[in-house]
Amino acid sequence: MTSARPKIDFDAKIPNNVDLASDRKLQRALERWQPNFLDWWGDMGPAVDTKDVYLRTAVDVGREGWAHFDHVPMNEYRWGVFLSEHDPDRKIAFGEHKGEPVWQEVPGEYRADLQRLIVIQGDTEPASVEQQRFLGATAPSLYDMRNLFQVNVEEGRHLWAMVYLLHAYFGRAGREEADQLLARNSGSDDSPRILGAFNEETPDWLSFYMFTYFTDRDGKYQLGTLKESGFDPLSRTCEFMLKEEAHHMFVGTTGIDRVVTRTAQLMNEHDSEEVAGAGGIPLEMIQKYINFHYTVSLDLFGNESSTNAANYFTAGLKGRWQEERRKDDHVLTDDAGAVDAVRDGRITTTEVPALLALNQDLRSEYMGDCSNGLKRWNRILQKHGIDAQLYLPHVGFNRQVGAFAGQRISPDGKMISEEEWTANEGRWLPTDVDKTHVRGLMHPVLEPGKIASWIAPPTNGINDKPVDFEYVHFN
Amino acid sequence: MTVLEDAPAAGQAPAPETVPQVDFDTDPAQYRHWRYEVDGETAWVYLDVAEDGGLVPGYELKLNSYDLGVDIELYDLTQRLRFEHPEVRSVVLTSGKDSNFCAGANIRMLAQSSHPWKVNFCKFTNETRNGIEDMTANSGQTWVAALNGTAAGGGYEMALACETILLVNDRSSAVALPEVPLLGVLPGTGGLTRVTDKRHVRKDRADIFATKSEGFQGPKAVEWKLVDETVSRKQWDETVRARAAEAAQGSHRPSDAQGIALPPLRREETADSITYPNVRCELDRDARTATITVLGPEPGTVPESLDRIHALGADFWPLAMTRELDDLILRLRTNELEIGTWLVRTQGSIEGALAFERVIAEHSGSDWLVNEIRHYFKRTLKRLDVTSRSLIALIEPGSCFAGALLELALACDRQYMLEGIFEDADEEQEPAQIVLTESNFGAFPMGNGLTRLQSRFYGDDETVAELHERTGERLTGAQAEEAGLVTDAPDDIDWEDEIRILLEERASLSPDALTGMEANHRFVGPETMETRIFGRLTAWQNWIFIRPNASGAEGALRRYGTGRKADFDQKRV
Ligand SMILES: [Fe+2]
Ligand SMILES: [Fe+2]
């Protein structure tokens, strides 16, 4: 079958280290997929009309200089395909295939499971772009707008990375799944994104920072477990994605830093916690946003006790966080683990085989990581002489998935009645009034170096550029 | 199956771990259990089992009881009657012993056999019984069972495959199905089914008969339609001869024809391959697959006349190929239990295949030999249909899936056809094509009475009719996929991955679940006696075989002949 479409110069258009120029299978798949991707980007990507944006583009995988910075029109962004460097001696580190060489092809036995894992991961990447589509219009600075777009193009590239795996290793079924990744859309009634959390619009910049801090961090942990996979191309893809993901979390961490800083400044200026009237976001409101985004992200880890996770582990498809640094047999058939449970109206734990407790294991790692941010933000408050503290709510608070789903648990971890919940919900989670206030603060600031009232300026610019650099050009 | 009076030696381990490689080659000079004599238009077939002639050590074939070895000879014998004896119009099946006709399958053999062995044994015996009925129906060789002594269990089931059953009336000989009361299993070689479906015995009477271990003697057996006639010893020979002569009437067999010889197959075996002149098989033991390639005929070799076909005999390509394929199927089924997936390929010229099609179509109505070959290929396809392996057809450039050979692909669970060509092939290729012919619309019905196309498009006669309109058309991968004739038509770029993943994925699934699933999918629609035997009777039998009530240490099959009663788990399931 021949196609009338002009040939794409793959290496020029698509930076890669997978020898795209000589891979007919990939070329054919991408020839069809790439135009659809560009259409999707046009329809669902950032809605702000820009001329070009100061973006980093992945151009290599080496330790030094893997990325290139320049002003580029966003629809000419070169979404590349990169796998981290190949280790010919790599062995499967866990499960029943432990010690065997990693797979360079999909083992037919695990095709369905691997495809599912990749599709679920792949579905989240474009979802966040869709969720953040309108945020650019209210960016608090050009610096922030640029960061948003940087995150967006890289989530687009993460989609490419997953699509690459589907195209290269899963045959026709993989191509069909790759098409579906563009056909599902965040918040769509007909064909929503697979995971619930990715169907909520990101309505304001506080939510965006929270999302990149908490929800992107879930992505980091999922990628971390897939990086351990016995399917080497998946492992290498995820390892490289983690490099980019670090910047996304940096955007979240420093974003919240700056909101807290600004709030602390306003509290001191007005000698009051009530900074809403002064164009700030009160600490209490920040806490509510933390409560919400943290707990929604906890749900993404699934049930405490999971046979799927156990099967993935045993099969060698998905390991644990830092699998190779762990000091156990990496097979876990004889070990036990404790998972959260609610019994007789009390929060407790149940002992289950360790293999079944892997979701909880990953969630615990994640929770530990999240608490670092809280320490940072509380140090900022301290430096400003403020005694109040931000905190992470109890793991059982506001949960929709797993052992705590359907339970009423306060942020400090007490089982409470439905009445008590209803009476206090507005103190713990963002209310409509809160959301309206935050949204009311969202006015674009497009002048280089200027910043919105509710957030402090960044301490440094991007890639050693000054903070007042013209990160975005408009038409 | 049935009854032996001798007990297994106490404490004897039941299942010998080393099951022999079974060989299906034999000829009358080598028979140990059968002999036959052709007298005019009647063949006299005598079952005369050598007690020490068991295929496997550990049992004696007393009372004309049989094992797989006995049935392999019977199968060979039926083939020789068909091909070597065109003059035969009726076949009398009787016993070479004075005392009894046949006690059925040997119980100690069953008790010591593994489950797969029992299942394979029953499947093969069932196919041979069906083949005997096919001879009566389509070969002009009508079978008469002359039960000159008691026919119990499998012995009576053998008689049930015949058109007419005579039982000697000597106040002791009987017909019986004692499996349920004595062994806790079923008369699984068609017995239960044929009593009701073929002989139309009322179900309450069938119930009594199948639970009454001693069965019925002549008069009652006639009254209940279990046999057609009972005859005193005095009149026995004369009556049997008369019934044989009557059975011969109306046969379309020619009187002046020459048979053709069935010489031994030319087969070369290595550890991982079986090669015949027209069929090749390579085993990949790691992947647990067999690749079966049927080599098509050369276009220039089609015989121009019937005389030439008869002169070629067993070398006539359709017959040679069918014999080899038949043998291969039996060998793989019995000897290669862990080869779970068979890849079915053809190689050769479509022109050649079509030329042979035309010869067969032209003569199968009129010439006995061509007719036999057609029915033989039909039965061989049926063997594929009931084979408990995943069957995948690979239709590639250079293949010749046309007409009758296309049935091979249609018998498979899935069909993959390359769209276009392999771009890095050494030689120049034509894209793969398939061709429908008249053969695909009735010449080779399945056990359910439908063609493979009717089964494939069950409930959609319109599509079958549309396909009928397209006979002779060369269909490429994309067209064949569009027409629903193949599962998928990947191109060169996808082919390797698709097939590899498919096979690996298949190999990871439960072999038992696959067997059950495939059997369900292959036999759609109406029940026939054949599907009831293979689907219903056999499935129940195989379930009972693995239940402790039959094969447990205290089960009926294992306790039989020990003097101890079976200890049943009384829960009805
Ligand atoms: Fe991502
Ligand atoms: Fe991200």
Side-chain angles (χ1 to χ4, degrees), chain A residues 121 125 154-155 158 216 223 241 245 248:
Chain A
Q121 182 63 39
E125 310 288 355
E154 281 174 355
E155 298 302 6
H158 293 175
D216 259 341
L223 290 176
M241 286 162 73
E245 212 59 66
H248 306 180

Side-chain angles (χ1 to χ4, degrees), chain A residues 171-189:
Chain A
R172 186 177 286 203
R175 290 204 295 275
E176 280 162 16
E177 287 290 3
D179 291 344
Q180 297 301 323
L181 288 174
L182 294 178
R184 283 186 293 269
N185 290 132
S186 179
S188 155
D189 289 337

